[in-house]
Amino acid sequence: MKQPTLVILAAGMASRYGSLKQIQSFGPSGETIIEYSIYDAIRAGFKKVIFIIRKDFVEDFKEIFEPKLKGRIEVDYVFQELTAYTDGFDIPSERTKPFGTAQAILCCKGKIDGPFAVINADDFYGADAFQKAYAFLDAKVADNVYGSIAYKLKNTLSDNGSVSRGEIITNGDGQMTGIEERLKIYKKDGKIVFEDGDTETEMAPDTFVSMNFFCFDPSFVELCASEFQPFLEKNITDIKSEFLMPKVADTFIKEKNGIIDVIPTDAKWFGVTYKEDAPVVKKELDELLKAGVYPDNLWA
């Protein structure tokens, strides 16, 4: 079996941060969130990383990351453009953003020929998650067996307000049967609840949630290809519609193409979508550095 590859979804970074040069540094030597993920991936055994980015940012990425990663891990790039794989469809002029994470994976066609893990660029996942992902990709993944790294809800919450999470529904064999979107989760009176309209429902702290960390066989790229056409036929006029990995994964399950193993991790997740999230991320990383989990300079 070919060596597992790490795929990083980074095509949406510029729109959130203003420009690539403004990516927040969190580590004592200027490290970004992505660098901690790559560092953990290398330690777990990954030998190659693919950045999915906008084509006009490739030189910036090379300048930022290649000097640090040279000799440590193979680096490649895939470009996600709005028009990728949309031949025959008229895209509304009002739409400016690509069609989402499953289109991003589709853009990897021809680049991925072995097992791969997918993560978000602006999320911190923790070393344990990468170790478990690599072990699964190395030993178990197949064209009918995928995996989803599952976080405990209590390890993904914010003290600064509500969050949205995908609750992983499982069967008795530890396999995913679906993902239920919970759009407003927060702490209240020592409990965790989510809102659905005017109703508050308590959630168990150990409820498994998805943070978009998946483990796939290369067959998933072909599945994205076969599902994109029907998606476009149904949603092309909706400028906010997104073709997302969890939706394609759900189709994989519902059509009985195979199973998705739920792979639990005790790692703590934290992320930075907007600049206002930075102080929390910095504090969490500082604590990991003090505990000796990471060196002061990842690439020294």
Side-chain angles (χ1 to χ4, degrees):
M1 181 180 289
K2 292 183 178 292
Q3 281 282 327
T5 295
L6 177 66
V7 175
I8 301 180
L9 300 167
M13 291 185 69
S15 63
R16 289 198 287 267
Y17 281 93
S19 80
L20 204 59
K21 293 291 188 181
Q22 294 172 354
I23 292 176
Q24 179 71 46
S25 296
F26 295 99
S29 300
E31 293 90 348
T32 62
I33 289 281
I34 298 177
E35 289 174 60
Y36 284 96
S37 290
I38 296 172
Y39 181 82
D40 284 336
I42 291 171
R43 289 197 295 179
F46 287 89
K47 301 293 193 296
K48 181 177 181 178
V49 59
I50 295 176
F51 291 108
I52 304 180
I53 59 175
R54 285 170 49 180
K55 190 172 185 177
D56 47 333
F57 290 126
V58 66
E59 294 306 320
D60 292 307
F61 260 79
K62 288 181 178 181
E63 179 183 334
I64 293 168
F65 295 108
E66 289 193 2
K68 299 174 180 179
L69 301 179
K70 187 177 181 180
R72 293 183 169 91
I73 191 169
E74 181 185 348
V75 179
D76 203 353
Y77 304 90
V78 164
F79 307 126
Q80 183 183 10
E81 306 294 345
L82 170 61
T83 57
Y85 296 93
T86 61
D87 291 350
F89 290 89
D90 293 323
I91 300 173
S93 59
E94 299 89 348
R95 183 168 193 124
T96 58
K97 295 181 179 180
F99 286 92
T101 54
Q103 186 198 28
I105 298 303
L106 177 52
C107 291
C108 293
K109 197 171 184 179
K111 289 274 191 175
I112 292 176
D113 59 359
F116 65 102
V118 186
I119 63 169
N120 293 333
D122 46 14
D123 291 342
F124 178 92
Y125 291 99
D128 180 69
F130 288 95
Q131 291 163 7
K132 289 180 175 174
Y134 186 89
F136 177 85
L137 292 168
D138 187 51
K140 192 170 183 181
V141 74
D143 60 3
N144 63 344
V145 183
Y146 299 161
S148 174
I149 302 296
Y151 285 75
K152 292 178 180 177
L153 177 61
K154 65 183 179 183
N155 291 335
T156 73
L157 298 178
S158 170
D159 291 326
N160 298 316
S162 65
V163 297
S164 297
R165 297 287 178 256
E167 180 182 352
I168 298 174
I169 312 302
T170 61
N171 60 21
D173 296 321
Q175 298 161 356
M176 182 187 295
T177 58
I179 297 179
E180 295 287 343
E181 286 297 324
R182 309 300 186 197
L183 299 179
K184 194 172 182 181
I185 306 172
Y186 50 90
K187 300 173 185 177
K188 182 178 181 180
D189 301 328
K191 299 178 180 179
I192 302 172
V193 300
F194 77 89
E195 280 187 18
D196 185 6
D198 296 328
T199 304
E200 287 183 354
T201 303
E202 185 176 353
M203 298 183 73
D206 289 344
T207 297
F208 285 143
V209 293
S210 169
M211 304 309 298
N212 233 26
F213 192 155
F214 286 95
C215 301
F216 292 126
D217 177 85
S219 59
F220 185 73
V221 180
E222 296 304 322
L223 182 58
C224 289
S226 65
E227 290 297 314
F228 195 36
Q229 180 93 8
F231 168 85
L232 291 174
E233 290 172 354
K234 183 178 180 180
N235 299 285
I236 191 66
T237 58
D238 180 358
I239 63 171
K240 293 185 178 180
S241 61
E242 290 191 278
F243 182 53
L244 301 176
M245 283 193 308
K247 180 63 178 175
V248 178
D250 189 60
T251 299
F252 173 79
I253 298 169
K254 296 294 194 297
E255 295 187 355
K256 302 188 184 305
N257 291 325
I259 61 173
I260 298 180
D261 277 356
V262 175
I263 308 166
T265 179
D266 287 321
K268 186 171 184 180
W269 172 97
F270 46 89
V272 53
T273 302
Y274 303 101
K275 289 192 173 101
E276 291 75 14
D277 298 323
V280 176
V281 174
K282 182 73 166 62
K283 178 177 176 291
E284 295 283 1
L285 271 175
D286 284 346
E287 290 178 1
L288 290 169
L289 286 158
K290 288 176 184 176
V293 177
Y294 298 101
D296 287 342
N297 188 330
L298 292 182
W299 313 115

